[in-house]
Amino acid sequence: MPAPDRPHTDGERADDDRPSRKSARVADVRAHGQPPGLKERRNEEHWAGRLYMRALSPYFGWIALRLGFSPNQLTYLMMLSGIAAGVVVSLPLSPLWTAVGGAVLIQIYLLLDCVDGEVARYLRQTSVAGVFLDRIGHYLSEVSLLIGLGFAAQGGWETGGYVELGMLAALGAALIKAETDNVIVARAKSGLTADPTGGDRALRPRSTRIALARQAASMLRFHRIIGAVELSLLILAAAALDTVLGNETPAAIRVLAVAVAAVAVLQTLLHLVSILASRRLN
């Protein structure tokens, strides 16, 4: 994860044979920036990262090292691209082109999300502050895109019911992340370790019915439509459908906005129940 800017020696130590940032090769970035097991991290590595982005990111990590970017600077660029995606989607212009612009910016956001961590690991600049900034970047990007969807469904920069739905979905997405993060906060304030003992068993609800409901929801993966990457692709698909059908109003985008708001509210409640019913707070 990215860390605050501070004096360093290009990530080198006396017992470290990795090249300096100016001499690094793509293979060096992949070797030192992508440790074993990175792609298999539970609930942390995005499917798009495993599918294609982690194959591309070392090339851009190499460029970032050569140009002298710090991990923090890359994280700020990640935040900027995520927020810009929501702004572009909301623009009162051609819905198809704003959707294309939003999808491209989210792909840049995902790329930078990979690159900042790889550069930080290469330079040995990982820190708690870096994790914090990374989390804030995810909050801002998802909230921005959901609000942007609300304005796109409304048909312009004006108030209305669809804008309110977008804001409701944004609130739900933020609360879901807050629920997850506050498990760690609650455990820390109680003097417990961040991760509960018992591994996957601690994550499962103690109630059989709730556990089955959680498993069914996980299999359906409907919660993913409020994620930035998936949502940007769905917005693009809806805008393309409206264009093909020649809709005078963004009907498909409006259906998507309603669905996203409903999923966000439902997932917020289900996620809260799942946490309270599990052993994560024990």
Side-chain angles (χ1 to χ4, degrees):
M1 293 298 179
D5 294 339
R6 62 175 182 271
H8 59 81
T9 58
D10 289 339
E12 294 182 296
R13 290 181 176 178
D15 60 346
D16 189 359
D17 61 351
R18 72 185 65 184
S20 67
R21 66 187 304 157
K22 295 296 184 181
S23 304
R25 300 169 300 170
V26 173
D28 296 320
V29 178
R30 184 176 290 111
H32 298 288
Q34 295 185 354
L38 178 68
K39 295 182 181 180
E40 288 73 38
R41 295 181 302 177
R42 179 182 175 86
N43 297 329
E44 291 186 35
E45 187 67 14
H46 195 275
W47 61 264
R50 292 191 297 270
L51 185 62
Y52 61 87
M53 198 58 80
R54 287 293 182 185
L56 298 175
S57 58
Y59 295 94
F60 291 89
W62 173 78
I63 294 173
L65 286 170
R66 299 281 292 186
L67 294 178
F69 280 98
S70 71
N72 261 12
Q73 290 170 339
L74 294 169
T75 303
Y76 291 133
L77 288 174
M78 179 198 79
M79 292 181 184
L80 182 61
S81 62
I83 295 171
V87 174
V88 168
V89 166
S90 74
L91 293 174
L93 303 173
S94 167
L96 180 59
W97 289 112
T98 57
V100 169
V104 170
L105 284 167
I106 288 298
Q107 290 299 309
I108 295 173
Y109 152 84
L110 177 61
L111 173 64
L112 291 169
D113 190 29
C114 294
V115 171
D116 64 358
E118 292 172 8
V119 170
R121 281 186 287 271
Y122 191 90
L123 297 176
R124 295 187 183 275
Q125 292 184 358
T126 57
S127 76
V128 175
V131 175
F132 174 80
L133 284 175
D134 191 72
R135 294 294 298 174
I136 292 297
H138 293 313
Y139 273 71
L140 292 175
S141 299
E142 288 193 6
V143 165
S144 177
L145 189 60
L146 287 163
I147 294 175
L149 171 61
F151 278 106
Q154 193 65 40
W157 283 353
E158 56 185 45
T159 59
Y162 290 103
V163 175
E164 294 171 359
L165 283 176
M167 291 182 175
L168 178 63
L171 176 61
L175 284 174
I176 291 168
K177 290 186 178 298
E179 288 169 358
T180 299
D181 291 343
N182 272 287
V183 170
I184 300 175
V185 173
R187 292 182 62 84
K189 284 183 174 291
S190 301
L192 301 174
T193 59
D195 295 321
T197 58
D200 291 345
R201 180 174 175 272
L203 301 178
R204 293 196 295 267
R206 286 166 288 192
S207 168
T208 303
R209 291 181 179 179
I210 296 178
L212 289 174
R214 180 178 181 270
Q215 185 177 4
S218 179
M219 291 177 60
L220 293 173
R221 302 187 184 279
F222 69 93
H223 60 282
R224 283 191 170 180
I225 73 170
I226 59 176
V229 175
E230 292 85 354
L231 180 59
S232 68
L233 297 177
L234 288 172
I235 293 172
L236 178 57
L241 182 60
D242 281 330
T243 301
V244 170
L245 296 178
N247 294 332
E248 295 183 1
T249 58
I253 291 180
R254 288 180 174 180
V255 170
L256 177 61
V258 173
V260 164
V263 167
V265 171
L266 180 60
Q267 182 64 14
T268 301
L269 296 174
L270 291 178
H271 192 240
L272 178 62
V273 171
S274 177
I275 290 174
L276 293 174
S278 71
R279 297 172 178 82
R280 279 177 276 187
L281 299 178
N282 292 347

